[in-house]
Amino acid sequence: MSFQWESTVFAVVAFVLLYVLLNKYAFGPLFGIMEKRRELIQSQLQAAEDNRKQSEQFLQEQKLAVQESRKEAYQIIEQARVSSLRQSDELLKQAKDESVRMKREALSDIEDEKNKAVVALRNQVGAMSVLIASKIIEKQIDEKSQQELVEHYLKEVGNKS
């Protein structure tokens, strides 16, 4: 085995020529494509990171919105409760006022009816008193007349005997 320098030089020249050709026509476009791919992947990673940050921010905003909605719902419920209590108190007050008014009216009506009954009773008592008095007077007059009549007859009978 002998070393042949011509074939070594030929191999080195072929290798350098192959390297230059590959570098110009293969490695350049290949590295360009790989660089574009790297930039695309980098931009996609950056977009994914931005989307993740936006998602986290949106999630925080949604959590705050949910908390705010819960607070508003609680306030609405509390206002409704207070309003219903106020309305029930108002209705109870109106009912009490109405019952007091109706009681006063009923007592007034009862007093009026009592006074009317007393007046009617007085009128009836007066009429009855007059009727009784007239009956008594009639009876007394009748008794007197009868007494006089009896005495008159007795006198007449006594005179005849």
Side-chain angles (χ1 to χ4, degrees), residues 9-159:
V9 170
F10 179 72
V12 168
V13 169
F15 180 73
V16 169
L17 184 62
L18 182 65
Y19 179 76
V20 168
L21 287 173
L22 282 176
N23 197 19
K24 184 175 183 177
Y25 294 109
F27 291 142
L30 182 64
F31 285 141
I33 291 172
M34 288 179 77
E35 182 63 26
K36 286 181 185 176
R37 177 80 174 149
R38 187 188 67 75
E39 288 174 1
L40 177 67
I41 290 172
Q42 190 67 25
S43 68
Q44 287 178 346
L45 286 174
Q46 185 64 37
E49 181 66 22
D50 291 344
N51 286 341
R52 185 188 63 79
K53 286 180 181 177
Q54 287 177 349
S55 296
E56 286 178 356
Q57 183 181 5
F58 184 71
L59 180 64
Q60 289 299 324
E61 290 172 1
Q62 290 301 315
K63 283 182 181 179
L64 290 174
V66 167
Q67 287 176 347
E68 191 65 30
S69 296
R70 284 182 180 157
K71 285 180 185 177
E72 288 176 11
Y74 178 75
Q75 288 174 348
I76 289 170
I77 290 171
E78 190 64 24
Q79 287 174 352
R81 186 183 66 79
V82 167
S83 175
S84 66
L85 285 174
R86 191 175 332 130
Q87 285 179 345
S88 67
D89 289 344
E90 235 176 74
L91 288 173
L92 283 173
K93 184 182 179 296
Q94 288 176 355
K96 285 180 183 178
D97 291 347
E98 183 67 17
S99 69
V100 166
R101 184 190 62 79
M102 289 175 69
K103 183 178 176 183
R104 268 193 241 124
E105 286 179 3
L107 288 174
S108 174
D109 289 346
I110 290 171
E111 188 66 29
D112 289 345
E113 289 299 317
K114 181 181 125 187
N115 290 337
K116 287 178 185 176
V118 167
V119 167
L121 189 60
R122 283 184 183 159
N123 289 339
Q124 286 180 353
V125 166
M128 291 290 253
S129 297
V130 169
L131 184 63
I132 291 172
S134 66
K135 293 275 185 184
I136 291 174
I137 290 173
E138 279 179 19
K139 190 175 182 185
Q140 285 178 351
I141 290 175
D142 284 346
E143 286 178 10
K144 276 186 177 179
S145 340
Q146 283 180 1
Q147 186 69 29
E148 287 176 2
L149 189 61
V150 168
E151 285 178 11
H152 177 69
Y153 283 127
L154 286 176
K155 280 183 185 178
E156 281 183 16
V157 170
N159 287 337

